[in-house]
């Protein structure tokens, strides 16, 4: 019964697809280009499953035959599930046709196809458990309220929620705020738009997992073992939805539904529950997702899903703006007897007495004590404040140190949120995350402007200066050990980052101090000490100790890794890198592109395309993923001559790194304003124009030895 329904749903979708593809060929011709924007894996699902890239309507038409071959009709569960996969591929074809001629078929609030860069961005939050899972909600809930409650229950757990069909209208009807930054992503109203989340799961396997396109068995193992997704499908579940659900089950994603007719449960895979209120618990259990619960005693919600929430000026009750008045955030190490645990003090007026819409000073000082606490951990803890404060619903934080800005929304204020609650949040989170080093913690929140000025200028700035001076002296030569980081192995099984003072992890989120703190907090965790006692070649940054460590932590997949070369045994990439650099043969230089940059580079490739050249824990000489901060490092491609090789960067990235990069260029080579010599998209996206620009500006790379 169930199997026949899947076959019939699959047949229906296949019929529609065949007609749509044939019509399109007739209308536009077989040579017409087809594909999705901002992906290097064109028709990602089909490519992942078969290894073939579809670029024209003619190829799409030919691919129908391959899809048909998956649609076997033996009366067995696996045939039914493969028909589910065939249904998914059909959905991808139908969706691809919507994008012909550069059309933008999806309008607010729907997203449709998601770019490769979004998947790369998801890497770190997924491995850290910050995003513990991905929910796919499909159809219309029995009532809008039940649907929205379900969405919010996942959002509060940090789960990324994607929506397909009637649930989107229901969410809008109740005024639910949606968007990628709130972890609620409406995909589209047609059932075929569900393919856009499947596409994310399959590309994750290619990007992070080093799965060979076409190796369907490894692909399915990857999604089953490593992509924590599940489906909630509301009744009526018709044959088409059932066929799509079969595809999800084949990928290892359980389907939970309130359908009660004509459905047979498949243990652990297809689960019927009459009550939508039970979906959350049942889904997490079925997918084996564990939620870290943080109970913070504040009058609004606290969840990682609110991290990206933006508070607009018109919605804000008060603002604290470090660029206008004195603001500061600071961690200080104290003696045990100087700290009273969980003491929270507010010095100055509460926000009730502030004019609505006004700007004020704010300082919060977190004093910590612990036997294992070290001043080196202060900046590591402090840097998390941005994330902690942003997780408060209705509160928004940007910047850091004495240059932050915080807004409290009208809604949060109305719910009772006050300055003292910053103390509560900071206390709880610091104790939670740093319990191995912080035994006691107290927080003082200053709103008195004179006190803020005093804290900023007399206490914090001297501390920051001291810390910066310490960071300056932290070089690869000055320390005795480096650290490994294998956090990304959850998605990229053989990837290892070697983190040194002058080379942070490629995700940009793990500095040497972070790795050191992580090692201290969790000695058996992702960051392990790597000694550096047996150098092989100091210029390359190769060491016997480092080789041994990467071999061990990659389970033998890697034998040699250098720290400073992009050509010889370069460090591997997992996929979540902030930037990618690749050699540009005409100028002897390298081009760098950052994840946010969607345009073309002089390599004739976009960021996504460059990024697809490497990843999955594999070494690819000539291409290397890295953090933004690494660009101004004296160790950047040191073996090939260093930062002098950089010939092109997107303008925005260039501006972000300019100050530090220019300083390094001055120090290393005596060059002034080096960034003026570097091309960007306003100068050239074509290698010949770029070389002309470099020649005109006398760029040093032109006279260096060729790299290959
Ligand atoms: Fe992943 Fe490397 Fe960042 Fe660790 S340092 S989280 S392994 S990218
Ligand atoms: Ni001042
Ligand atoms: Ni990663």
């Amino acid at each position: 019964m169930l199997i026949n329904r899947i076959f019939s749903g699959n047949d229906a979708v296949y019929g529609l697809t065949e007609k749509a593809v044939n019509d399109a060929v007739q209308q536009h011709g077989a040579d017409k280009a087809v594909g999705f924007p901002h992906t290097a894996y064109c028709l990602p699902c089909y490519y992942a499953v078969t290894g073939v890239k579809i670029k024209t309507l003619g190829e799409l038409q030919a691919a129908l035959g391959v899809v048909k071959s998956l649609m076997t009709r033996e009366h067995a569960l696996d045939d039914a599930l493969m028909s589910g996969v065939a249904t998914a591929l059909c959905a991808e074809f139908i969706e691809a046709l919507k994008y012909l001629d550069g059309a933008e078929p999806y309008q607010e609030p729907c997203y449709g196809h998601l770019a490769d860069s979004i998947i790369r961005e998801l890497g770190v939050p997924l491995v850290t458990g910050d995003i513990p899972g991905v929910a796919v909600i499909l159809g219309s809930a029995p009532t809008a309220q039940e649907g929205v409650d379900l969405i919010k229950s996942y959002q509060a757990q940090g789960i990324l929620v994607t929506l397909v069909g009637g649930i989107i209208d229901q969410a809008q009807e109740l005024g639910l705020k949606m968007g990628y930054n709130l972890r609620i992503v409406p995909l589209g109203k047609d059932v075929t738009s569900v393919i856009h989340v499947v596409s994310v799961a399959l590309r994750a396997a290619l990007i992070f997992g080093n799965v060979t396109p076409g190796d369907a068995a490894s692909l399915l193992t990857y999604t089953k073992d490593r992509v924590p997704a599940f489906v909630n499908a509301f009744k009526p579940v018709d044959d088409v939805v059932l066929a799509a659900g079969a595809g999800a089950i084949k990928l290892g994603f359980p389907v939970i539904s309130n359908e009660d007719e004509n459905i047979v449960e498949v243990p652990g895979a297809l689960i019927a529950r009459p009550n939508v209120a039970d979906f959350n618990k049942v889904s997490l259990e079925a997918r084996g997702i564990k939620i870290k619960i943080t109970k913070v005693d504040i009058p609004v919600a606290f969840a990682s899903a609110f991290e990206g929430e933006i508070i607009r000026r018109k919605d804000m009750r008060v603002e604290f703006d470090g660029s206008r008045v004195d603001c500061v955030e600071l961690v200080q190490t104290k003696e045990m007897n100087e700290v009273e645990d969980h003491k929270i003090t507010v010095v100055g007026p509460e926000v009730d007495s502030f004019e609505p819409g006004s700007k004020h000073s704010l300082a919060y000082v977190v004093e910590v004590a612990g036997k294992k606490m070290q001043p080196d951990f202060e900046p590591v803890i402090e840097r998390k404040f941005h994330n902690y404060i942003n997780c408060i619903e209705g509160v928004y934080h940007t910047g850091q140190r004495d240059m932050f800005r915080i807004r409290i929304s009208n809604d949060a204020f109305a719910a009772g949120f006050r300055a003292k609650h910053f103390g509560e949040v900071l206390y709880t989170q610091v104790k939670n995350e740093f319990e191995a080093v912080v035994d006691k913690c107290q927080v003082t929140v200053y709103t008195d402007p004179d006190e803020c000025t005093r804290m900023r200028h007399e206490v914090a700035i001297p501390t920051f200066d001291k810390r910066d001076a310490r960071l300056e002296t932290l070089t690869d030569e000055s320390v005795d050990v480096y650290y490994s980081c294998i956090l990304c192995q959850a998605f990229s099984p053989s990837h290892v980052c070697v983190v040194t003072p002058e080379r942070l992890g490629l995700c940009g989120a793990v500095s040497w101090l972070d790795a050191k703190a992580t090692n201290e907090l969790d000695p058996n965790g992702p960051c392990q000490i790597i000694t550096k006692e047996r150098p092989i070649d100091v210029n390359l940054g190769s060491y016997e100790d480092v080789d041994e460590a990467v071999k061990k932590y990659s389970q033998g997949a890697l034998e040699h890794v250098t720290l400073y070369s992009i050509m010889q045994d370069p460090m591997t990439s997992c996929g979540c890198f902030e930037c990618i650099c690749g050699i540009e043969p005409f100028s002897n230089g390298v081009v760098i592109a950052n994840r946010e940059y969607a345009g073309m580079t002089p390599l004739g490739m976009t960021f996504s395309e460059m990024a697809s050249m490497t990843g999955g824990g594999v070494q690819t000489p000539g291409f290397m993923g890295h953090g933004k901060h690494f660009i101004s490092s004296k160790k950047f491609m040191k073996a090939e001559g260093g930062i002098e090789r950089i010939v092109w960067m997107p303008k925005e990235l260039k501006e972000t790194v300019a100050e530090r990069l220019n300083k390094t260029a001055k120090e290393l080579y005596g060059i002034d304003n080096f960034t003026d010599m570097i091309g960007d998209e306003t100068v050239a996206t074509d290698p010949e124009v770029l070389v002309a620009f470099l020649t005109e500006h006398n760029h040093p790379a032109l006279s260096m030895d060729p790299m290959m």
Side-chain angles (χ1 to χ4, degrees), residues 120 122-124 127 208 487-489 491-492 495 497 506-507 573-577 595:
R120 294 181 184 279
L122 285 171
V124 171
V127 295
F208 300 113
L487 208 54
C488 284
Q489 286 194 356
F491 289 106
S492 206
H495 173 69
C497 276
L506 55 88
C507 56
S573 300
C574 42
C576 65
F577 38 82
R595 208 161 49 198

